[in-house]
Amino acid sequence: MTVLLQGIGAAKGVAIAPVRTIERGQPEIREYELTPKQVRSELARFRRALKAARAELKHVKNKIPNDTATDVAAFIDTHLLMLKDSALTSVPMEIIKERRCNAEWALRLQRDAVVSVFDAMDDEYLRTRKDDVDHVVNRMLRILLQRDQNEDDQLISHLSGCIVVADDLTPADTVLMQHHGVAAVVTEFGGPLSHTAILARSLRIPAIVGLHAARQYLRDDEVVIVDGRQGVMLVDPSRAILGSFKRKQKEIERFRIERQKLRRARVMTSDGERIGLQANVELPGDIQTSTSAGADGVGLYRTEFLFMNRPEPPDEEEQFDTYRHLVRALKGAPVTIRTLDLGADKQVDGVRPGAPASTNPALGMRAVRLCLKEPELFTPQIRAIMRASAHGPVRMMIPMLSNIQELHQVLALVKQCGNQLLTAGVDFDESMPIGAMIEVPAAALCADLFARHVDFMSIGTNDLIQYTIAIDRIDDEVNYLYDPLHPAVLKLIHNTIRAGYKAGIPVAMCGEMAGDGSYTRLLLGMGLKEFSVHPNALLEVKQIINQSHIGKVRKLTARIMRTAKPSNRAALLDEMNNMDGSNSY
Ligand code: PEP
Ligand code: MG
């Protein structure tokens, strides 16, 4: 009898393969006392383990495929940085000396101390970052227990072609799994924003996370099905189910091959409507991936990364250099630079030290609110963006606007910066477009008011959905309520698109919804003409746009927007996506 196990879909794709269960959690360790003479050699053993851990991570980094978005390397870099942090280097050595205990035990004690600090944090995102501490500590422990990289590599190389089910996986494990051709990964812990989930998407391995106690229901080597989009694992599938998933797999592969031919193709619906398709970029290295996948430019450049992992924010000059570099790399294609969106899930050091902790950071001092409160943080960025506009087409976009006054305050600052630059004889584009990110329901409802004062709008669905449905976007427990098809969300999106149309200004979408192929046709049906998506999603979205006929999808779009029952909406969406034999799976 087919058994269905439901987890959280983390990376789409279908795999049918034998299962292998593995344990990657904390290795068993115990404390033992050292003689004063042994302490020195124990310290040396600890240092060797640190060195070996760094070497292992560098080795893993070399295995990242070249065409992967740079966030993959960034996760490995985070672990490399932690291996230089005194919390995991000098402090455990102090413990070895003081307590005269073995290195493994010292590391475990220090791990518990660090994790308890994370556990006490209010911010859900930061709380979940303790996983990184565990991943780094477990790597060190495995080395100290003399399970070396070759063993890890060998273990993982034996998993080639299998569906791996683990308690948890580190970012480095995930890179090696992709390298060795693992068919899919399933973890018992973690949510869709865990690093494993993000990496699996970037590396294109079908993945399910948060499938609690999965290993309990599985026998090694039995063939199972993983559907990464639905978050479903099918154990002991019937012949009919197996047959239908094999057909689905073939279809996905056929579409994947066709997609590769679209790199240079223009983006146009089958009824002749030109659609803008741009990339969301966080790190300058992503530009190459985006342009080679045929993006018309960058529709969202998140500037937060520039402010991360450093004690002081970058000054105007450094920001100007980075933005100019970006503009030049784009060789005449436009870039939309978003002003700082710090706060909530995007925390950095060195900005507002000593500020009171917010009990509800997503509703607190973040993004434009923070920038307006701290003009000495904001104006250097505005000036740097304006100066970069002298070197190519730049648009400036303001996140998290919730009322028109905030917009007027920003526009006044822009005017003031422009006057300063003119007086100083510094070049900039005096008609640089300024846009509003529409990601707060209040702004979406008043999109007509915003549209009168800006040159463009861009819908940020990640936050719009969070605020509309009142679900913290990084809280696993309420993830089941996350629903881009919620009628309220669709109404707000539609209202924004219509307001832009009436005011004669372009409206884009840059939230994750724009990059999820299952919504492409619906969004076209709602009148969206500009998409900005993760670099990995560019080709898929282009393929779907080119196979869509706006005239034909409009009717079904109207029906989806009127339908109250979620299952009926999903069925209509399926119908729309399967029209004309296309596939958005
Ligand atoms: C959004 O909210 O949809 C968005 C694109 O911004 P971020 O994910 O950076 O908050
Ligand atoms: Mg946002």
Side-chain angles (χ1 to χ4, degrees), residues 88-204:
L88 292 182
T89 54
S90 40
V91 178
M93 292 208 272
E94 287 308 312
I95 299 175
I96 295 173
K97 280 190 252 170
E98 273 165 28
R99 206 176 154 107
R100 276 209 270 126
C101 66
N102 50 326
E104 293 89 342
W105 195 253
L107 200 55
R108 170 65 53 81
L109 289 180
Q110 176 59 2
R111 175 256 170 215
D112 292 347
V114 175
V115 164
S116 67
V117 175
F118 277 100
D119 277 339
M121 286 179 179
D122 281 336
D123 187 290
E124 174 78 19
Y125 178 78
L126 289 180
R127 257 200 325 259
T128 59
R129 294 287 71 101
K130 72 179 181 194
D131 296 351
D132 289 308
V133 179
D134 273 332
H135 291 157
V136 172
V137 167
N138 290 343
R139 173 172 298 279
M140 288 277 294
L141 288 176
R142 274 200 291 272
I143 293 169
L144 287 164
L145 296 167
Q146 312 230 307
R147 298 189 205 147
D148 65 10
Q149 169 78 21
N150 290 337
E151 238 176 276
D152 262 15
D153 245 355
Q154 250 176 20
L155 165 81
I156 292 177
S157 70
H158 284 126
L159 301 174
S160 159
C162 295
I163 290 171
V164 177
V165 184
D167 42 352
D168 189 16
L169 291 173
T170 67
D173 288 337
T174 316
V175 171
L176 287 179
M177 302 240 167
Q178 194 262 359
H179 183 76
H180 287 294
V182 160
V185 293
V186 178
T187 63
E188 295 182 330
F189 300 105
L193 286 174
S194 69
H195 287 172
T196 309
I198 297 171
L199 277 175
R201 285 195 285 278
S202 288
L203 294 167
R204 301 188 176 92

Side-chain angles (χ1 to χ4, degrees), residues 386-397:
M386 293 177 89
R387 287 169 59 193
S389 72
H391 299 270
V394 171
R395 310 197 299 178
M396 185 165 94
M397 179 159 80

Side-chain angles (χ1 to χ4, degrees), residues 302 338 341 346 366 399-400 437 439 460 462-463 473:
R302 291 182 166 102
R338 178 176 77 178
D341 181 7
K346 305 179 191 87
R366 65 171 281 205
M400 263 288 278
M437 242 183 123
E439 49 184 348
N462 308 342
D463 279 312
R473 64 194 254 191

Side-chain angles (χ1 to χ4, degrees), residues 416-460:
Q416 186 188 320
C417 291
N419 288 339
Q420 289 164 357
L421 294 175
L422 280 175
T423 315
V426 179
D427 274 354
F428 68 100
D429 172 6
E430 288 185 50
S431 50
M432 176 184 75
I434 297 179
M437 242 183 123
I438 302 297
E439 49 184 348
V440 174
L445 284 167
C446 300
D448 54 338
L449 303 181
F450 281 91
R452 288 186 207 153
H453 303 283
V454 290
D455 302 302
F456 67 96
M457 296 190 286
S458 186
I459 306 171

